[in-house]
């Protein structure tokens, strides 16, 4: 049985571990600093499909299939699949995964979805409902631009604080078997809304949510930042990362030495013209399911916090003058 | 600990029960056959807000607040809230619930979301991660028409097979305390896609998914339809209900005597001009959290299957010629 401690943290009792993981990304991500960590890089942004949305669906199918193959499992071995994406009505997940015929749990947490899906998968295993689960998310630059901003053909000018939606997907297979790393504790965040309204500055909107969840996790577990090898947010980018670090200093819990952000890691910010960094459900998923979990397996990291952040607005809510409620969830992986 | 049996059914071990529930609906629903069962009826479709989307958010807040009040709880007593809706990026849930400050799990299963949220809440309690949870969903006729079909001002003609999106929300509080009814078993469905493409005939798209999940639930639990007082789908409407019954007869598991559908119950189909019946995340939630759970508490029903169904397409996928992958999840409530 899990156990809730403190305000919002859940200690997992079972040895729930990562049996397998895989990541697939697009061309731009494949030219970035993590290019050697991904399982596959697709230079064709359509992946042979006839729309960007279908291409995004294919990314999910490819990452799940790769994770299954690496663990010598098939879809028949999986009890539940937890998935989400940024597209309206989460069609990246439904069209990407429908042919797998795995009982399907649709999740929505914007760019926090990879942490949320992984947490809910771990709790499902902990409850006894499943032995093996898949958690998967995706995003695609072209489908996201069309849906949230402008069609690419418009050639819209991006603001300096805007982030670049990652074309990619990451998938994790969890089980109680002897995998690595293990999930020891999780925190499900509450929504934080400090009335940031700029859709082109998601980092600023999400930083307070990341700070709130990390702060509560450390407090609940009676640990400090120094107990971890890495506190990894996804995807605050340049602006949000700076704000997060300022908030944590103010709260007397500085994390800057140990902090990194998936949106800062996936691109070379100097040469790849992505402005404030990467973002999207697929960003934290692809970084986690490549560089990070691999470094845990080879012993480079022993104890990390993966804190994916999400901005829970829509273009409609923003056009109506709404703020950007944000959320962040923490998964504590230990080697 | 829960236990998976058969193909996709999970037997709950703990006595997870409904501590409280509440439903709020709009004017049309308040003029229908269930008008005396709802907690509140709002005749103003804007609920005092300045957009339909904000009105839908308010419905979620109102149903959660009512369910809390009925059980003399406050939001501080709730460990986790599971919520979803039909709006892009699920803003009905995020804007409706952000001020409650409860750790938040966003779900997406289209009109199946109430069953999915209730299942995941039950599993979270079963895992030990939470003691008390809220599950809530909503839909709103006006926000759904604008997003999925045409702006109301257009005055579009509805096809005979189309369903009327319910303006409403339902919320359930689950706990291990001595509430009623209890959740004994659940089935999480897999996506079924028989290549139905007509967005104005969701019933036809969803019926095979409902049949698949109900069929597997009965098989997995070694029960027959006769073991239940009611097999309640939501929301197949006239067309989908007829198709479900035909499929179940063909599979030698007739359910017609015991079957009803939330989309058929919430309106008077003869006088309320809703064509094939009601639909939307709020339909099955409002019917479950009024008429159905009340009849279980007073002993009218002792053992029911609640099978909410969802159509997992988006307007974009349909405009691109995509099919309508569908899903259904079962919750077995016992008094």
């Amino acid at each position: 049985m899990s156990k809730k401690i403190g305000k919002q943290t859940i200690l997992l009792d079972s040895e729930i571990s990562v049996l397998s993981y895989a990541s697939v990304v697009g061309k731009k991500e494949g030219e970035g600093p993590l290019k050697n960590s991904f399982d596959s890089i697709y230079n064709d942004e359509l992946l042979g499909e006839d729309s960007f949305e279908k291409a995004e669906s294919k990314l999910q199918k490819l990452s799940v299939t790769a994770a299954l193959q690496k663990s010598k499992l098939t879809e028949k071995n999986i009890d539940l699949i937890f998935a989400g994406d940024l597209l309206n009505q989460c069609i990246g997940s439904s069209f990407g995964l429908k042919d797998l015929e795995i009982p399907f749990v649709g999740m929505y947490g914007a760019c926090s979805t990879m942490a949320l899906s992984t947490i809910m998968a771990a709790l499902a295993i902990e409850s006894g409902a499943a032995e093996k689960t898949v958690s998967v998310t995706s995003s695609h630059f072209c489908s996201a631009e069309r849906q949230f901003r402008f069609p690419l053909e418009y050639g819209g000018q991006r603001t300096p604080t805007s982030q670049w939606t990652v074309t990619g997907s990451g998938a994790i297979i969890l089980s109680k078997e002897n995998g690595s790393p293990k999930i020891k504790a999780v925190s499900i965040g509450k929504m934080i809304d400090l009335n940031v309204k700029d859709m082109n500055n998601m980092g600023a909107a999400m930083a307070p949510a990341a700070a709130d969840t990390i702060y509560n996790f450390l407090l609940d577990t009676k640990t400090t930042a120094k107990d971890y090898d890495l506190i990894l947010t996804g995807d605050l980018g340049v602006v949000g990362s700076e704000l997060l670090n300022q908030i944590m200093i103010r709260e007397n819990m500085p994390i800057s030495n140990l902090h990194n952000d998936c949106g800062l890691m996936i691109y070379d910010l100097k040469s790849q013209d992505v402005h404030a960094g990467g973002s999207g459900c697929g960003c934290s998923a692809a970084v986690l399911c490549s560089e990070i979990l691999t470094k845990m397996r080879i012993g480079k990291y022993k104890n990390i916090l993966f804190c994916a952040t999400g901005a829970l607005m829509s273009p409609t809510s923003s056009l109506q003058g709404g703020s950007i409620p944000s959320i962040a969830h923490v998964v504590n992986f230990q080697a």
Side-chain angles (χ1 to χ4, degrees), chain A residues 288-308:
Chain A
L288 177 71
C289 296
S290 59
E291 184 78 358
I292 303 300
L293 289 176
T294 300
K295 282 196 170 161
M296 293 206 79
R297 284 202 168 172
I298 62 174
K300 177 92 203 288
Y301 298 132
K302 291 197 165 51
N303 194 7
I304 73 159
L305 300 186
F306 170 63
C307 178

Side-chain angles (χ1 to χ4, degrees), chain A residues 207-219 223-225 231 233 236 240-257 259 305 307:
Chain A
D212 187 77
T213 303
I214 294 168
Y215 179 88
N216 280 309
F217 182 89
L218 295 176
L219 219 61
T223 57
T224 66
I231 296 177
T233 50
L236 297 176
S241 292
E242 171 63 26
L243 289 172
L244 169 65
N245 281 301
Q246 285 179 18
I247 299 171
M248 296 307 283
I249 287 168
R250 205 184 58 192
E251 298 294 334
N252 256 325
M253 277 194 189
I255 60 168
S256 56
N257 292 340
H259 173 255
L305 300 186
C307 178

